[in-house]
Amino acid sequence: MKFFLIAGAVNALLSVALGAFGAHMLEGRVADKYLDTWQTAVQYQMFHAVGLMVVGILMSSSLIGTLGSLSWAGYLMLAGIIIFSGSLYVLSLTGISILGAVTPIGGVAFIVGWIMLIVAASKAL
């Protein structure tokens, strides 16, 4: 529970910081398409930071508790942030287009993470 709450809060903080960095430091330094890519990374990081905090809250013994499927949901969301958003951040800064092939792996992790959250809720409620 504590891990996912902290991971979510740290990722929310990083999302805000990276969003500000992109808006103020990258404008005029990278192509507009890379600024858009950066913004996509920031948005998905924030969405899933909130998802991590939801997982942490649901892990409370007064709610769902520590179901394995709930833990999987959190770990997959965290992996998705690292792979999806991380690859887009690096792509935006470097222009290395092969990273676009890695990004969908993070997207799949996000999708499966949300599915695992559905599974956990279905089992518990």
Side-chain angles (χ1 to χ4, degrees):
M1 177 178 160
K2 181 179 175 180
F3 173 77
F4 292 120
L5 287 171
I6 292 170
V10 166
N11 273 285
L13 176 137
L14 288 172
S15 178
V16 172
L18 290 167
F21 174 80
H24 299 290
M25 299 300 291
L26 295 181
E27 193 167 359
R29 294 186 176 153
V30 299
D32 286 345
K33 73 176 185 174
Y34 290 129
L35 282 176
D36 291 341
T37 300
W38 187 273
Q39 266 314 111
T40 299
V42 168
Q43 288 175 338
Y44 277 78
Q45 183 173 5
M46 181 59 82
F47 296 152
H48 291 88
V50 173
L52 285 169
M53 289 184 279
V54 167
V55 167
I57 291 165
L58 290 174
M59 290 181 113
S60 166
S61 58
S62 61
L63 294 173
I64 291 179
T66 55
L67 278 176
S69 52
L70 197 52
S71 290
W72 271 106
Y75 287 121
L76 285 163
M77 286 183 195
L78 184 56
I81 290 170
I82 293 165
I83 298 167
F84 183 90
S85 294
S87 66
L88 292 181
Y89 290 134
V90 175
L91 170 63
S92 297
L93 293 174
T94 66
I96 299 171
S97 60
I98 191 68
L99 290 169
V102 174
T103 306
I105 297 168
V108 170
F110 285 150
I111 292 166
V112 177
W114 288 109
I115 290 170
M116 295 309 291
L117 182 56
I118 292 165
V119 169
S122 297
K123 285 181 180 178
L125 304 175

